[in-house]
Amino acid sequence: MKKHKNTKLSCKFPLMGGFRGAWSLSFSLFFLLFSMDIFAQRISAEHDTYDFGSIMYEVPAVAKFELTNKGNDLIIEKVRTNCGCTTVNYPKNTILKGDKFTIEVEYDARQLGHFEKEVAIYGNDSDTPYSLKIRGVVVDEVVDYAGQYEFTVGDVRTDKNNIEFDNVNNGDMPIQRLHIYNSSGEAVSPVLMHLPNYLTATMSPTTIAPGRSGVATITLNSLKLRDYGLTKSSIYLGMFPGDKVSANKEISVSAVLIPGFGNMSETQKANAPSIDLSSAELDLGSFGDKSDKSGTITIKNQGRTTLDIRSMQMFTPGLKVKLNKTKLAPGESAKLKITAYKKLLKEARSKPRVLMITNDPDNAKVIIPVNVE
């Protein structure tokens, strides 16, 4: 076999002015971003934005930011604010690596309405500041939520422990609010944990004093839901950032994504399927000594084209369904058998219901409540 000699390959690229200039600009931008990133990594905060919620007019409010120095020894050389309405108290001594420290920002609340202010912290060895923000609304009277706080979640009470996003179309961004009352003897900084990627949440105020209330605003991004029908998950209300997850802090969340028929012509609508139920809900009466009870509802297609029952789901544990066919020709019927189980229904957080997603443009979502005692 013929041996091949080792050959050295070399490539020469001319350093043209345009290339050199582009490389120089790219390097400068990289260096700037790298420097910013280095300083950003040196400080970490439980919250870098503090929401006061509603505060009284001309009653100064103080936000406390708990931070940690994760870099080399740090000296805060100066702070800057974008408003004379804020004053900042910060440590003047050297902050050692790994040490925690507090920065207090006071807002004078001398102007009614919403506000958002920024504080820039400048440390040694960097011209790039670390940014903190405060926000809230100044009012002449603080009005707490007037509803009932029926549920105990962790160390606080809430107005609900189950959140439902109903009748959601693709592209919608609906919100739900969870009202929180601090019934404990200490201030809490609630945080919603284990949010799936289709949910985001904000808390106002950041810290809730004993005997006061706050609200968590939860937003659903419908574009991140995978399928039509019911999507369920559990989130958890922690009492502070980094709190542990436990069953007594659980908030169940459900979302129902329904297909849209807005682009149908009048002719298509006239020839569409039409679902008809023998009963809008199922009454099973009392369990009595029985562990389960069953009932049947007849489904009929009163339309002119095939009715397609695309999915069938239950909002709660403790129900079982059986449908003998999912595609019904015009005039055709099907039997839906629903069985309720006494033991499992005791764990349900909401009323037992069966959900169907169909291709009937007037009834894309059909809910059958199940009444049983």
Side-chain angles (χ1 to χ4, degrees):
M1 182 180 291
K2 185 177 180 180
K3 294 185 178 179
H4 296 276
K5 294 181 180 180
N6 291 332
T7 304
K8 293 184 179 179
L9 298 177
S10 63
C11 297
K12 295 182 180 180
F13 296 93
L15 290 176
M16 296 178 291
F19 177 79
R20 184 186 295 111
W23 180 87
S24 177
L25 177 60
S26 298
F27 180 79
S28 298
L29 288 173
F30 171 78
F31 182 78
L32 174 61
L33 293 172
F34 180 76
S35 299
M36 292 173 65
D37 188 55
I38 286 292
F39 187 69
Q41 290 180 10
R42 292 181 61 185
I43 298 176
S44 67
E46 290 185 352
H47 302 283
D48 55 16
T49 298
Y50 191 100
D51 192 316
F52 286 107
S54 297
I55 58 176
M56 287 292 294
Y57 176 60
E58 291 189 331
V59 177
V62 177
K64 290 186 178 182
F65 293 92
E66 303 296 333
L67 304 102
T68 303
N69 175 23
K70 292 192 172 182
N72 297 323
D73 293 353
L74 172 66
I75 299 174
I76 298 177
E77 296 179 339
K78 60 183 176 182
V79 297
R80 288 181 178 173
T81 66
N82 61 356
C83 174
C85 51
T86 56
T87 56
V88 184
N89 182 24
Y90 60 93
K92 309 301 190 294
N93 57 306
T94 300
I95 304 166
L96 302 179
K97 181 178 181 179
D99 280 0
K100 296 182 182 295
F101 61 102
T102 301
I103 291 180
E104 295 183 355
V105 181
E106 182 176 302
Y107 181 66
D108 63 16
R110 291 181 182 174
Q111 184 172 345
L112 290 170
H114 290 269
F115 65 90
E116 183 166 324
K117 307 298 177 183
E118 188 169 354
V119 175
I121 304 166
Y122 291 84
N124 54 312
D125 299 331
S126 177
D127 293 328
T128 305
Y130 184 84
S131 179
L132 298 172
K133 291 181 180 180
I134 59 171
R135 65 186 179 205
V137 57
V138 180
V139 297
D140 54 12
E141 181 182 4
V142 176
V143 179
D144 284 336
Y145 174 67
Q148 299 296 313
Y149 299 93
E150 300 180 9
F151 304 95
T152 299
V153 180
D155 298 332
V156 301
R157 296 190 63 79
T158 64
D159 64 330
K160 62 188 77 170
N161 66 354
N162 177 55
I163 295 171
E164 296 183 359
F165 293 92
D166 210 1
N167 294 340
V168 180
N169 294 111
N170 261 324
D172 288 352
M173 297 281 286
I175 65 171
Q176 290 281 355
R177 291 183 173 86
L178 176 71
H179 293 93
I180 303 165
Y181 176 75
N182 184 5
S183 54
S184 72
E186 298 181 356
V188 295
S189 297
V191 58
L192 285 171
M193 306 179 293
H194 285 211
L195 292 171
N197 70 332
Y198 54 84
L199 294 179
T200 57
T202 59
M203 194 72 61
S204 180
T206 299
T207 300
I208 305 176
R212 300 306 301 268
S213 64
V215 60
T217 302
I218 303 160
T219 303
L220 168 71
N221 184 347
S222 61
L223 295 176
K224 293 187 177 181
L225 293 175
R226 296 183 59 183
D227 299 305
Y228 289 119
L230 179 65
T231 299
K232 297 193 293 184
S233 60
S234 289
I235 60 178
Y236 298 85
L237 181 62
M239 301 301 106
F240 53 86
D243 195 6
K244 293 182 179 180
V245 168
S246 60
N248 69 328
K249 299 171 187 173
E250 181 184 6
I251 306 285
S252 56
V253 181
S254 64
V256 178
L257 183 66
I258 58 176
F261 296 94
N263 295 325
M264 290 185 71
S265 66
E266 292 301 320
T267 301
Q268 288 174 321
K269 289 181 180 178
N271 289 288
S274 177
I275 190 171
D276 180 73
L277 304 179
S278 61
S279 177
E281 55 188 70
L282 183 63
D283 291 311
L284 296 178
S286 173
F287 279 112
D289 296 331
K290 295 183 177 180
S291 60
D292 62 83
K293 292 203 72 175
S294 298
T296 301
I297 288 179
T298 300
I299 301 172
K300 186 174 183 180
N301 180 10
Q302 302 275 37
R304 297 182 178 180
T305 52
T306 299
L307 174 68
D308 184 8
I309 300 174
R310 296 174 174 175
S311 71
M312 183 169 295
Q313 297 164 291
M314 282 70 70
F315 280 87
T316 62
L319 292 180
K320 181 180 179 181
V321 297
K322 185 177 182 181
L323 183 65
N324 63 335
K325 62 180 70 176
T326 59
K327 295 184 184 294
L328 282 68
E332 195 172 12
S333 298
K335 296 292 185 181
L336 171 62
K337 181 181 179 181
I338 303 174
T339 303
Y341 295 90
K342 183 177 183 179
K343 183 178 180 179
L344 293 175
L345 279 179
K346 288 182 179 180
E347 303 173 7
R349 293 186 172 216
S350 61
K351 185 176 177 61
R353 292 159 291 166
V354 174
L355 167 70
M356 291 189 293
I357 300 296
T358 82
N359 64 336
D360 177 352
D362 294 323
N363 294 282
K365 181 198 73 174
V366 177
I367 291 181
I368 303 174
V370 179
N371 304 316
V372 62
E373 299 176 0

